[in-house]
Amino acid sequence: MALTARRARTTRTALGVTASAFAAALVLAACSSGGGGGGSASSGASSGASKASGTRVTVTETEYGLKLSRSSFTPGTYTFVADNKGKITHALSIDGPGVEDARTKNIQGGQEANLTVTFKKGSYDLYCPIPGHKQLGMNKNIQVG
C-alpha cells in the first residue's frame, strides 16, 4: 500500500513539474511573439497585415535559408512577406539605417507574416532572429540605393 501511495505521489510531482514547464513555455512564447519588437516605433516598421503598403517582397524561409523575390532595392517603403515554407518556427528581422530590430512575430511552418519598413540608402541585414538560425544561414545582406 505504501509503495502505491509513493508511486502516486511521484507521478503527481512529475505531472506538476511538466505542467509548470509547459506553462512557462507558453508564457515565454507569448512574450516573444509580439509584433514589431522593441525598435518598431522608432524605425517606422510594422508587422500588421492590415498595414501592408509599399513594394511587396516575398521572403521564403526554410531550414536554414532565406530567398528574396527581388535582389535590387531603392530607397522607399517595402512590405516583406515572410513565408515560412519550413517545418519549424522562423521569423524575420531587419536592421539597417533608420531600421533597428524591426521584426515579425514568430511564424509557424506554413504561415506568413508581414513586415513593412522604409529603407534609406545603405546596407541592411535581413535574418531569422530565432536563436542559432542566423548562424545556420538564415541571413541576407542587401544594398539599398
Side-chain angles (χ1 to χ4, degrees):
M1 192 75 129
L3 183 59
T4 303
R6 195 174 317 135
R7 283 185 184 158
R9 185 176 36 219
T10 303
T11 301
R12 279 194 306 273
T13 302
L15 288 174
V17 169
T18 302
S20 296
F22 183 72
L26 286 176
V27 169
L28 181 61
C31 290
S32 67
S33 66
S40 64
S42 63
S43 68
S46 70
S47 61
S50 63
K51 297 180 183 179
S53 63
T55 303
R56 179 184 165 105
V57 179
T58 301
V59 181
T60 304
E61 297 181 308
T62 58
E63 286 84 38
Y64 289 92
L66 297 178
K67 181 180 176 189
L68 280 63
S69 63
R70 68 181 300 146
S71 59
S72 85
F73 296 86
T74 57
T77 302
Y78 293 85
T79 295
F80 289 86
V81 180
D83 184 8
N84 185 352
K85 295 289 189 187
K87 298 195 182 304
I88 64 173
T89 302
H90 295 298
L92 179 65
S93 189
I94 302 175
D95 291 317
V99 180
E100 206 172 309
D101 296 324
R103 68 165 284 173
T104 65
K105 63 180 181 159
N106 288 348
I107 312 163
Q108 301 304 313
Q111 295 182 345
E112 296 180 346
N114 292 349
L115 178 60
T116 300
V117 295
T118 300
F119 283 158
K120 299 177 182 176
K121 188 175 182 178
S123 181
Y124 290 83
D125 191 19
L126 285 71
Y127 61 96
C128 179
I130 302 296
H133 290 198
K134 181 177 182 180
Q135 293 78 6
L136 290 170
M138 295 188 76
N139 188 43
K140 290 281 185 193
N141 292 303
I142 62 169
Q143 199 62 35
V144 176

